[in-house]
Amino acid sequence: MLRNITIGDLLDETAGRYPEKEALVYQERGLRYSFAEFQGICNQAARGFMSLGIQKGENIAIWATNVPEWVISQYATAKMGAVLVTVNTSYRTHELEYLLRQSEATTLLLIDSYRDANYLAMIRDICPELDTAKPGELCAERLPHLKNVIYIGDERQPGMFLWSDLLKRSASVSEEERIARQRTLEPDDVINMQYTSGTTGFPKGVMLSHNNIVNNAVKVAGCQRLGPEDRVCIPVPFFHCFGCVMGTLACVATGATMVPVTAFDPGLVLSVVEKERCTALYGVPTMFIAELNHPSFGERDLSSLRTGIMAGSLCPTEVMKSVIDKMGIRDITIAYGQTESSPVITQTVPEDSFERKVTTVGRVHEGVEAKVIDPVTGDTLPPGVQGELCTRGYLVMKGYYNMPEQTAKAIDSDGWLHTGDLATVDEEGYFRITGRLKDMIIRGGENIYPREVEEFLYTHPKILDVQIVGVPDPLYGEQVLACIRVRPGEALTEEEVLRYCEGKIARFKIPKYIRFMDEYPMTASGKIQKFKLREQAIHDLGLQAASDTETA
């Protein structure tokens, strides 16, 4: 049965049911909110956003790690009707500028830095006008829609509000005004927008409604048997659906406690699970591998763990065995989907056999349709025959922001979302993902679309042509290989290519392998055969063992 409720009303419902129960815990920061306290801070932040004149349907971008202000903003914007636009923490200037322009975001929240990326320096590079602007009155040539920049930090920055300013400004908006705004919101309204790369070479803003993600969160939680007694450790990033739908929203939907980790560190995750007695743990396979191989693993008491989700990348069966046997997560579930489907389409459940958990991605959620079709004819295929996986139901996105043609390509006239993934389904309805119609690379849970990286590398003056393909990797699942043809008369080195990429595209998109070649393998009709580039690279780079790794 589907819920017909907004995210703000869902939080109010859960806070009314479990006011004193812990809602949000940051063990590393000593921060703890009960559901009543969390509801209160979210209401205050919602009034703060309203005080800036932000209207229902306006787009607010957030560029931060899993800090407390991120999850507060998620529910605050949901309560006052702004659309939260999530920004990948690995983005650099080129990608950030595109996202802010394409999304028409009027407000940006950001932290100071992450790893080797200085966010403040990058936004100033794009918006030099910040140095002289009054907070809330930004007029940027390259980002004409952006008016407000809110710094999640303590040190005052030119042209920016502080997060503390936002909370103080909330006093100028009454609680009655906020409630009145919340009452105007409808479950079918778009409330979340996540950017996913596209085969066009440009990221697309996936518009998701309250209905989309509330119901997906409920179904994801149900497959894990989550309830108010559970405590979910969330080390996966909030900017992905994995973090903010399957993670925080699934907790609020069930009364479970959110226990985020600000930025993934395997030792910290193990410590948080042990100290907070977490019952569920989320991660992509590379995260679980890092935890299993951490020096402190053998000393940790992880006996509280019962369930969780492994998703975001193909799961090696040996990793699954270790998660069950060594970490003791006997009810671990595998989930499959994509941002356009809010995100989960299929998921295993605790009662599934070990074989099902390691060889399939489970069955469709209740209320979801899925089928495997012939990519050429569109005919539905029988069990066991490989084709494209399509899905239909409440979970299908509202569309891509300001991209009607791309939306029409993804969702057909009968409402079926075409995933671009190749799959088979057995007689009992269990799906297995067997490949991709698209050339998408999945590196450690991050989706990389070759065309996007190719478009960027084409801007290098010495590069005549470039083909990006994925090659197998035992740790990350796949790595990026660039096959480059250099312009006649020019010389180019791997080091030059890597230097050109640094600081301009996200680190996970930078090629791990670079090969220079005079020509590409072609079909008789002149199409480049990327699969042959991949096969040759596997042979030449000695990646056969990684290629043979069994996955679900």
Side-chain angles (χ1 to χ4, degrees):
M1 186 171 174
L2 298 178
R3 302 288 321 263
N4 188 44
I5 190 171
T6 65
I7 294 169
D9 289 349
L10 181 72
L11 174 58
D12 292 343
E13 178 183 274
T14 302
R17 190 174 294 162
Y18 311 109
E20 303 306 316
K21 189 185 173 302
E22 283 188 330
L24 181 65
V25 172
Y26 278 84
Q27 199 275 330
E28 59 193 291
R29 297 179 176 223
L31 183 151
R32 294 176 187 274
Y33 285 130
S34 68
F35 270 105
E37 291 167 335
F38 181 64
Q39 178 191 36
I41 190 71
C42 292
N43 288 343
Q44 184 180 4
R47 296 196 305 273
F49 286 126
M50 291 173 66
S51 75
L52 297 176
I54 297 171
Q55 300 299 310
K56 173 183 174 180
E58 221 169 288
N59 294 337
I60 296 180
I62 183 163
W63 194 25
T65 53
N66 290 10
V67 293
E69 292 85 355
W70 205 113
V71 68
I72 292 168
S73 295
Q74 177 184 2
Y75 288 92
T77 52
K79 277 176 158 286
M80 50 73 66
V83 178
L84 190 69
V85 181
T86 67
V87 185
N88 191 313
T89 54
S90 296
Y91 270 11
R92 297 297 192 267
T93 52
H94 178 78
E95 298 146 319
L96 177 69
E97 181 177 358
Y98 170 82
L99 181 147
L100 292 175
R101 284 179 65 89
Q102 206 281 329
S103 69
E104 301 176 325
T106 63
T107 302
L108 171 67
L109 295 98
L110 80 167
I111 56 173
D112 58 349
S113 61
Y114 176 55
R115 293 180 177 166
D116 61 346
N118 187 322
Y119 289 5
L120 290 173
M122 282 191 266
I123 191 61
R124 287 197 182 101
D125 182 36
I126 300 170
C127 295
E129 297 90 346
L130 276 169
D131 288 339
T132 54
K134 286 182 62 178
E137 297 179 13
L138 178 64
C139 187
E141 181 181 357
R142 290 160 69 177
L143 297 173
H145 294 278
L146 190 64
K147 301 302 175 195
N148 310 300
V149 179
I150 302 170
Y151 175 52
I152 301 172
D154 298 324
E155 189 176 334
R156 195 156 290 282
Q157 304 292 329
M160 303 182 194
F161 292 109
L162 294 179
W163 176 261
S164 57
D165 296 334
L166 184 78
L167 297 181
K168 289 174 185 172
R169 289 177 60 95
S170 67
S172 66
V173 176
S174 70
E175 184 64 1
E176 288 72 23
E177 290 174 279
R178 184 202 61 75
I179 291 170
R181 172 75 68 87
Q182 186 172 329
R183 285 176 176 163
T184 69
L185 309 185
E186 297 292 338
D188 204 39
D189 292 341
V190 173
I191 201 63
N192 183 282
M193 194 151 77
Q194 308 206 12
Y195 273 77
T196 181
S197 296
T199 52
T200 59
F202 299 102
K204 302 188 287 287
V206 176
M207 297 185 290
L208 300 173
S209 68
H210 298 268
N211 267 339
N212 283 149
I213 57 179
V214 164
N215 283 293
N216 206 257
V218 169
K219 302 304 181 187
V220 164
C223 285
Q224 298 174 84
R225 313 294 185 249
L226 289 185
E229 69 285 351
D230 283 300
R231 301 170 70 79
V232 183
C233 181
I234 312 171
V236 292
F238 287 158
F239 68 79
H240 275 166
C241 279
F242 201 170
C244 69
V245 178
M246 300 158 71
T248 60
L249 195 50
C251 288
V252 169
T254 56
T257 302
M258 299 173 272
V259 189
V261 174
T262 303
F264 178 71
D265 173 86
L268 178 59
V269 171
L270 293 171
S271 175
V272 168
V273 168
E274 180 180 44
K275 292 177 180 177
E276 293 299 326
R277 306 303 294 156
C278 292
T279 60
L281 176 61
Y282 286 8
V284 298
T286 50
M287 290 180 172
F288 283 103
I289 291 169
E291 291 151 12
L292 286 160
N293 289 282
H294 192 268
S296 72
F297 178 77
E299 305 161 15
R300 298 295 184 184
D301 177 6
L302 307 178
S303 59
S304 58
L305 286 173
R306 174 186 64 80
T307 189
I309 301 174
M310 196 184 302
S313 183
L314 297 175
C315 172
T317 56
E318 290 305 313
V319 176
M320 187 63 153
K321 289 177 183 175
S322 295
V323 167
I324 293 172
D325 297 338
K326 297 178 181 178
M327 300 185 87
I329 313 180
R330 61 191 181 277
D331 292 343
I332 187 79
T333 68
I334 295 285
Y336 158 77
Q338 53 186 209
T339 308
E340 289 89 338
S341 57
S342 304
V344 177
I345 301 168
T346 69
Q347 191 173 354
T348 62
V349 295
E351 294 77 19
D352 284 330
S353 68
F354 177 78
E355 183 183 4
R356 294 287 195 198
K357 291 178 181 177
V358 297
T359 62
T360 80
V361 291
R363 294 188 280 194
V364 292
H365 281 168
E366 180 190 8
V368 172
E369 294 177 85
K371 62 180 180 179
V372 176
I373 67 165
D374 184 313
V376 178
T377 66
D379 295 337
T380 301
L381 296 170
V385 179
Q386 177 181 271
E388 183 185 13
L389 193 155
C390 297
T391 189
R392 184 167 67 177
Y394 78 84
L395 76 175
V396 175
M397 65 172 177
K398 302 285 284 186
Y400 296 120
Y401 187 70
N402 285 346
M403 290 186 174
E405 291 182 5
Q406 294 297 324
T407 300
K409 289 179 183 178
I411 305 170
D412 66 28
S413 57
D414 292 323
W416 288 97
L417 172 68
H418 290 246
T419 67
D421 288 329
L422 294 171
T424 61
V425 60
D426 66 20
E427 296 279 1
E428 293 179 279
Y430 286 86
F431 284 82
R432 182 182 175 106
I433 305 304
T434 55
R436 288 184 294 277
L437 280 175
K438 309 171 193 173
D439 292 324
M440 186 178 74
I441 300 164
I442 303 180
R443 179 194 179 278
E446 294 282 3
N447 292 352
I448 303 168
Y449 287 78
R451 184 67 183 274
E452 185 182 356
V453 184
E454 288 164 359
E455 292 281 358
F456 170 74
L457 286 175
Y458 277 131
T459 65
H460 192 292
K462 293 184 179 181
I463 292 178
L464 174 66
D465 201 355
V466 57
Q467 297 295 317
I468 298 294
V469 296
V471 292
D473 183 85
L475 179 61
Y476 289 97
E478 290 182 294
Q479 290 281 10
V480 177
L481 163 68
C483 299
I484 294 173
R485 293 176 63 204
V486 181
R487 290 187 181 279
E490 297 283 3
L492 187 62
T493 65
E494 289 186 25
E495 290 72 24
E496 283 181 82
V497 175
L498 295 175
R499 280 201 305 271
Y500 189 74
C501 295
E502 283 291 339
K504 294 177 183 172
I505 60 173
R507 185 176 295 277
F508 64 83
K509 297 177 188 174
I510 297 176
K512 166 78 171 176
Y513 304 105
I514 297 171
R515 310 186 81 201
F516 296 100
M517 49 187 59
D518 296 324
E519 58 185 19
Y520 299 126
M522 312 279 276
T523 66
S525 61
K527 292 183 179 178
I528 296 169
Q529 295 175 302
K530 283 194 171 185
F531 74 93
K532 287 192 174 180
L533 291 174
R534 184 177 188 272
E535 289 173 355
Q536 190 61 45
I538 289 171
H539 177 269
D540 293 349
L541 297 170
L543 301 174
Q544 290 92 341
S547 180
D548 293 336
T549 301
E550 186 181 355
T551 67

